[in-house]
């Protein structure tokens, strides 16, 4: 299975579409109901961040396999302002947007693999993977 | 954009969320509810999330905000029907839904509000 | 294979076909004796007959042992399921050597002897193969049973109307704890129960992850509108939880399942009174 879906995140309704597509792909991979819920929630957080802080971005949703298990990889990219301090951004409760500051740190706890890259002035990329048990 | 209907049942307001809410709808619901509480002099609000498949930080914050606003307007809010997968995910996300009371289902939520109504102090003559 | 070997192989083929009934009968007798009275003779005879035919085919057509191995694997699995030991199962195969030896013992036939030596080596291989299949079949049975046991050992039971309990027994790993807690939360929704008791009296120890999962389940239940009590925390586990710095916060804990039940009954408005004659009477406080 090499089916990958790419979606543009440009408005509020796109966040809903991302959630729905991630749910479909998560079911396809065979994630448990709880794991589906976790990865959809993480996707919702990351899509909203791209929209709120970078004015939009895109996500690539892909089914992957590591030789032992299938998994779902989500790759969020944007060309926004970037995050100056990654450690700070990943701290529970830290927010520049008046939020709860749980989006990034919480998403990290909801998935199995989490990778955050960002360059000030160039953009941000968050890649996460949830493996089927 | 879809609007979530607010139903009136006696002195209770009932909101049953049946769709995947986008952020704008969430904010609108927050406003609609505040207006409805004042207008209907409701004593309690029940938000039924039985059909809701995910609660992220945005919706979670909305639930807390609605609870605080309605408390200020002298109404109690109860969130009912949270699915186990949603609850487990919220715990992992780190959201505690501070100040929000919860019940397993609609019936229990209504019973909780009725109980509160009954326990209200009756005016005692000096 | 040398020319002598080939000749011996041919001779053995002839002998096994000509004396089929004699050899089979002896093999069935010998095999029956090794597994004792526990095997059903006619069933065993039927299985050995099949194996014998496959053996003839293997020798006659030279070299393709797949049918034969398939039959032996099947035999091993059946023996494993019926509770025989691996040694007994391999002995069934090895006893064919003795049965065939009876054929050549009486004759002064060097070619047949060579054929016998060749056959004996084949039987040794097959015996080992049987042994291996037996062991892996047994392993499969054990893992299957362990899984069933896991299911059985973690039931969500109804203690009272509106009160569920999960009596946890044995070592808890992170995966098992997660599965059980999901089952508990699902049970709360399905039965509309507002109280649950997680009893860990039968749990010898917990690690950080397991303690965290228990804790998260209690918090998740609370988010859903239900309250959990944890009972039966052993001193060592209390010690672990405290030294690991895990915050149990305002989670209610009780010494025993009985205490937890009494507590949750009280919480759900059921009054328990003890009469003078020591019979416990339970009455509903509210309608
Ligand atoms: N894609 C992004 N581009 C630029 N900055 C970002 C991006 N994503 C996150 N950030 C920064 O990291 C901070 C933390 O993000 P996080 O999602 O954890 O919290 P939040 O969005 O502020 O609140 P919450 O998600 O809990 O509602 C944000 O306030 C923002 O400053
Ligand atoms: Mg965020």
């Amino acid at each position: 299975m090499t089916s990958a879906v790419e979606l543009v995140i440009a408005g509020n309704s796109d966040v809903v579409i991302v959630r729905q597509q991630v749910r479909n792909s998560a079911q396809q991979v065979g994630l448990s109901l709880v794991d589906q819920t976790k990865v959809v929630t993480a996707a919702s957080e990351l899509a909203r961040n791209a929209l709120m802080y970078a004015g939009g971005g895109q996500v690539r949703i892909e089914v992957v396999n590591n030789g032992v298990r299938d998994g779902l990889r989500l790759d969020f990219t944007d060309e926004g302002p970037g995050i100056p301090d990654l450690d700070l951004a990943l701290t529970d409760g830290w927010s520049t947007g008046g939020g709860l500051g749980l989006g990034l740190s919480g998403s990290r706890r909801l998935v199995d693999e989490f990778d955050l890259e960002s360059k000030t002035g160039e953009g941000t990329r968050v890649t996460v993977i949830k493996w089927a048990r | 954009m879809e609007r979530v209907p607010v139903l009136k049942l006696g002195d209770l307001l009932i909101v049953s969320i049946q769709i995947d809410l986008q952020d704008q709808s969430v904010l609108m619901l927050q406003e609609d509810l505040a207006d409805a509480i004042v207008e209907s002099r409701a004593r309690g609000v029940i938000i039924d999330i039985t059909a809701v498949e995910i609660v992220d930080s945005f919706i979670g914050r909305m639930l807390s905000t609605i609870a605080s606003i309605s408390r200020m307007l002298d109404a109690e809010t109860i969130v009912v029907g949270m699915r186990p997968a949603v609850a487990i995910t919220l715990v992992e996300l780190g959201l505690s839904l501070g100040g929000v009371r919860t019940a397993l289902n609609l019936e229990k939520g209504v019973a909780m509000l009725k109980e509160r109504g009954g326990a209200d102090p009756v005016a005692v003559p000096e | 294979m040398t020319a002598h070997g080939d000749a011996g192989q041919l001779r053995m083929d002839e002998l096994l076909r000509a004396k089929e009934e004699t050899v089979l009968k002896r093999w069935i007798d010998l095999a029956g004796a090794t597994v004792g009275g526990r095997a059903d003779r006619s069933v065993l005879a039927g299985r050995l007959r099949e194996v014998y035919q496959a053996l003839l085919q293997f020798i006659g057509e030279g070299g393709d042992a797949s049918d034969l191995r398939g039959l032996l694997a099947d035999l091993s699995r059946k023996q494993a399921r019926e509770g025989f030991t691996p040694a007994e199962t391999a002995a069934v195969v090895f006893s064919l050597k003795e049965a065939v030896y009876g054929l050549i013992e009486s004759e002064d036939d060097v070619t047949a002897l060579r054929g016998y030596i060749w056959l004996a080596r084949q039987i040794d291989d097959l015996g080992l193969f049987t042994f291996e299949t037996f062991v892996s079949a047994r392993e499969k049975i054990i893992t299957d049973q362990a899984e069933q046991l896991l299911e059985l050992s973690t039931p969500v039971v109804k203690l009272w109307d509106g009160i569920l309990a999960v009596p946890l027994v044995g070592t808890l790993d992170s995966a098992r704890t997660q599965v059980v807690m999901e089952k508990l939360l699902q049970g709360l929704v399905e039965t509309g129960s507002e109280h649950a008791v997680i009893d860990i009296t039968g749990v010898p120890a917990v690690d950080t992850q397991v303690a965290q999962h228990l804790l998260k389940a209690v918090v998740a239940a609370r988010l859903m509108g239900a309250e959990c009590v944890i009972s039966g925390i052993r001193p060592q586990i209390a010690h672990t939880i405290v030294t690991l710095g895990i915050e149990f916060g305002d989670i209610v804990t009780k010494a025993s399942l009985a205490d937890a039940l009494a507590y949750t009954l009280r919480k759900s408005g059921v009054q328990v009174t003890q009469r003078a004659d020591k019979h416990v009477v339970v009455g509903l406080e509210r309608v």
Side-chain angles (χ1 to χ4, degrees):
Chain A
M1 258 189 293
T2 46
S3 55
V5 181
E6 294 201 27
L7 295 174
V8 173
I9 305 161
N12 263 313
S13 55
D14 294 330
V15 178
V16 177
I17 294 169
V18 169
R19 288 203 288 252
Q20 285 162 354
Q21 182 57 49
V22 171
R23 168 78 65 179
N24 285 342
S25 303
Q27 280 166 352
Q28 192 189 323
V29 172
L31 293 182
S32 72
L33 182 61
V34 171
D35 285 346
Q36 284 175 32
T37 310
K38 286 181 177 175
V39 75
V40 173
T41 306
S44 186
E45 295 296 338
L46 299 174
R48 183 179 295 106
N49 278 356
L51 189 63
M52 272 181 71
Y53 303 111
Q58 54 274 325
V59 59
R60 185 181 158 86
I61 303 163
E62 195 176 6
V63 176
V64 291
N65 182 292
N66 67 355
V68 186
R69 304 149 180 235
D70 283 337
L72 188 64
R73 179 165 67 200
L74 310 177
D75 194 1
F76 289 85
T77 46
D78 67 56
E79 281 85 53
I83 303 172
D85 187 337
L86 296 186
D87 286 338
L88 201 55
L90 279 167
T91 309
D92 268 0
W94 190 82
S95 170
T96 60
L100 297 170
L102 287 174
L104 283 176
S105 53
S107 299
R108 175 151 74 164
R109 286 188 290 266
L110 292 173
V111 296
D112 298 316
E113 286 173 40
F114 183 98
D115 185 47
L116 171 62
E117 290 167 42
S118 192
K119 262 216 178 97
T120 325
E122 284 179 28
T124 301
R125 175 173 186 173
V126 189
T127 311
V128 303
I129 302 181
K130 190 84 186 165
W131 296 111
R133 267 186 257 167
Chain B
M1 196 192 333
E2 292 178 84
R3 242 183 152 98
V4 183
V6 179
L7 306 175
K8 192 169 182 305
L9 184 89
D11 57 355
L12 302 182
L13 293 178
I14 297 181
V15 178
S16 180
I17 301 176
Q18 298 290 340
I19 49 159
D20 195 342
L21 292 181
Q22 68 175 64
D23 294 359
Q24 228 58 46
S25 309
V26 171
L27 295 175
M28 226 142 55
L29 171 62
Q30 219 165 277
E31 286 170 26
D32 289 353
L33 250 181
D35 291 345
I37 294 171
V38 176
E39 221 168 90
S40 67
R41 301 164 151 224
R43 303 302 311 278
V45 177
I46 288 186
I47 302 178
D48 183 2
I49 59 167
T50 310
V52 173
E53 292 181 334
I54 72 142
V55 172
D56 61 8
S57 64
F58 199 85
I59 300 172
R61 190 149 46 118
M62 177 265 293
L63 295 174
S64 291
T65 309
I66 289 178
S68 311
I69 292 177
S70 54
R71 198 169 302 122
M72 242 182 278
L73 300 172
D74 195 25
E76 178 94 26
T77 302
I78 300 193
V79 171
V80 304
M82 186 185 293
R83 300 181 178 194
V86 170
I88 292 170
T89 301
L90 277 181
V91 174
E92 209 69 56
L93 193 62
L95 262 182
S96 55
L97 295 193
V100 179
R101 291 183 71 194
T102 55
L104 284 173
N105 52 44
L106 189 61
E107 295 73 35
K108 289 187 193 293
V110 172
M112 265 165 88
L113 287 175
K114 288 265 155 66
E115 213 173 287
R116 175 197 183 243
D120 261 3
V122 191
V124 187
E126 280 293 311
Chain C
M1 183 110 345
T2 63
H4 286 309
D6 279 342
Q9 210 173 315
L10 281 175
R11 180 89 185 93
M12 193 39 67
D13 188 28
E14 274 168 34
L15 273 173
L16 288 176
R17 283 178 200 278
K19 300 283 173 65
E20 178 171 337
E21 278 314 308
T22 326
V23 178
L24 251 177
K25 190 186 170 301
R26 209 174 302 163
W27 188 22
I28 293 166
D29 285 345
L30 288 165
T34 55
V35 295
R38 286 189 292 142
D40 181 328
R41 268 304 164 91
S42 60
V43 172
L44 182 66
R47 286 175 189 169
L48 295 189
R49 254 171 224 289
E50 276 184 335
V51 173
Y52 196 84
Q53 291 310 319
L55 179 71
L56 287 181
Q57 205 185 332
F58 162 63
I59 298 172
E61 283 157 27
D64 182 15
S66 54
D67 274 4
L68 183 56
R69 281 173 179 250
L71 276 176
L72 283 174
D74 198 41
L75 176 77
S76 314
R77 277 192 289 270
K78 284 176 178 149
Q79 299 263 109
R81 222 172 300 133
E82 287 157 17
F84 292 96
T85 68
E88 279 169 338
T89 305
V92 167
V93 175
F94 290 136
S95 61
L96 178 59
K97 281 200 280 189
E98 204 178 327
V100 177
Y101 187 69
L103 279 186
I104 59 159
E105 197 181 25
S106 46
E107 294 177 44
D108 194 11
D109 182 343
V110 182
T111 318
L113 190 63
R114 286 222 173 84
Y116 176 75
I117 292 168
W118 172 81
L119 181 69
R121 214 159 43 218
Q122 304 302 315
I123 294 177
D124 286 344
D125 279 355
L126 294 172
L128 276 180
F129 170 74
T130 314
F131 195 90
E132 270 169 21
T133 337
F134 182 97
V135 171
S136 57
R138 183 64 82 75
E139 262 162 23
K140 171 100 177 55
I141 292 173
I142 292 171
T143 46
D144 284 356
Q145 283 174 343
E147 255 163 48
Q148 287 166 4
L149 208 63
L150 184 68
E151 277 291 303
L152 284 177
S153 65
T154 51
V156 175
V157 295
K158 182 173 162 181
L159 281 187
W160 198 266
D161 207 27
I163 304 175
L164 296 186
V166 259
L168 294 173
V169 176
T171 312
L172 287 180
D173 61 24
S174 161
R176 182 181 167 209
T177 314
Q178 254 171 306
V179 169
V180 177
M181 292 303 125
E182 280 175 37
K183 218 162 120 184
L184 173 64
L185 298 181
Q186 197 56 47
L188 293 173
V189 174
E190 278 161 13
T191 59
S193 301
E194 288 176 337
H195 296 276
V197 180
I198 302 171
D199 182 66
I200 59 170
T201 310
V203 177
V206 298
D207 60 21
T208 328
Q209 273 201 323
V210 169
Q212 294 281 17
H213 285 310
L214 289 176
L215 201 73
K216 284 177 189 166
V218 176
V219 179
R222 201 172 281 169
L223 279 176
M224 291 166 51
E227 283 298 321
C228 294
V229 177
I230 299 181
S231 66
I233 300 180
R234 292 164 174 242
Q236 302 99 293
I237 293 182
H239 192 254
T240 312
I241 290 171
V242 172
T243 37
L244 289 174
I246 297 166
E247 224 16 276
F248 252 55
D250 52 352
I251 287 171
V252 179
T253 54
K254 292 286 159 200
S256 69
L257 182 55
D259 290 343
L261 176 60
Y263 172 84
T264 47
L265 279 172
R266 212 170 334 111
K267 275 285 198 176
S268 50
V270 179
Q271 213 172 26
V272 185
T273 47
Q274 199 147 39
R275 277 207 315 238
D277 58 2
K278 287 275 167 75
H279 281 139
V280 175
V281 177
V282 182
L284 268 179
E285 205 173 60
R286 277 197 314 253
V287 199

